[in-house]
Amino acid sequence: RGLMDDVYACGPPEVVFAAVRRFLDALRDATGLEGQVGKFACYSTSYDLDSCPFRAQLGAPVGRLTHPDGGLVTRADGSAMRGIMIGGVPVGETFYVMAAMEQIAERIVSYTQTTCTELAASPHALWSCLFYCCQPCYDFYLRHVAPAYTTRFAARIDAAMVAAVEGMTYPGMLGDDISLARFRQPARMRGCGFRSRELLAPAAFAA
């Protein structure tokens, strides 16, 4: 199945890897384009892909999580975290999904902070960007990844949003429960509409 510019194949290894090879050959014959096998990734919950002869014949690497600089993300014992991204959603071992979601949350927090820095002199523009651009960034993951993997990182994003708003107003503006609750109420209930992604996670996943 193709999704935008990515193609995914699933099935028994003796079938999948051979099918991918045929696909690459047909693509080359039809267009002259060569597939970059080194950019492929594969994952299985039970099959040993490291010793799989069909995978080795194709040359596709086992999916592992990497840092932005390209280094492997590993557990405390030094072993790699295995999984793949499907449509931008991490699928794999528990450690893989957790670590991938942490990377995504850190990227969103950084994006929010950069937005605040760049628009510090334009508070009205900053408010609009926080509301329409930064706030929804995590929603895709809330809908496609179970709350067990998203909630703790949603709390970080919520905290970054509070810090952003207090940075453009004054420290402590949302420091009491009433003000924070009003800030997070939907606009139709006379709130600011900055919903807590931590609180929305279960409903978003079930929707």
Side-chain angles (χ1 to χ4, degrees):
R1 178 181 293 271
L3 180 63
M4 299 298 286
D5 59 344
D6 295 324
V7 178
Y8 304 94
C10 60
E14 65 273 14
V15 174
V16 167
F17 292 110
V20 171
R21 180 73 269 169
R22 292 194 300 273
F23 174 79
L24 293 176
D25 292 342
L27 181 67
R28 184 189 60 243
D29 294 342
T31 66
L33 298 175
E34 292 284 351
Q36 300 298 312
V37 179
K39 294 184 177 180
F40 292 6
C42 55
Y43 171 72
S44 173
T45 58
S46 56
Y47 184 77
D48 182 10
L49 287 168
D50 283 318
S51 60
C52 174
F54 310 105
R55 181 196 66 79
Q57 185 176 13
L58 178 64
V62 177
R64 293 181 171 90
L65 188 64
T66 60
H67 292 290
D69 62 6
L72 278 179
V73 178
T74 60
R75 300 185 182 89
D77 62 3
S79 60
M81 300 180 184
R82 303 184 181 211
I84 56 175
M85 302 295 286
I86 298 180
V89 175
V91 175
E93 300 170 344
T94 297
F95 286 106
Y96 176 93
V97 178
M98 271 297 195
M101 291 311 304
E102 184 172 20
Q103 286 186 351
I104 291 166
E106 288 175 351
R107 188 168 66 242
I108 294 172
V109 169
S110 176
Y111 172 62
T112 301
Q113 293 170 342
T114 300
T115 301
C116 291
T117 300
E118 296 295 324
L119 295 177
S122 305
H124 293 87
L126 175 56
W127 181 275
S128 296
C129 286
L130 290 175
F131 188 91
Y132 291 108
C133 301
C134 298
Q135 180 183 204
C137 282
Y138 201 54
D139 292 356
F140 174 79
Y141 304 100
L142 293 180
R143 296 191 65 182
H144 291 87
V145 183
Y149 300 108
T150 60
T151 304
R152 82 167 67 168
F153 306 119
R156 295 186 193 177
I157 295 172
D158 287 348
M161 198 62 61
V162 168
V165 171
E166 289 191 342
M168 63 185 294
T169 53
Y170 62 87
M173 188 190 90
L174 302 175
D176 63 274
D177 293 342
I178 294 176
S179 297
L180 183 60
R182 186 69 178 271
F183 172 70
R184 290 176 170 171
Q185 285 280 62
R188 61 184 171 79
M189 299 178 67
R190 301 185 183 278
C192 292
F194 284 85
R195 310 305 305 280
S196 167
R197 266 48 195 179
E198 180 182 13
L199 297 179
L200 286 178
F205 185 67

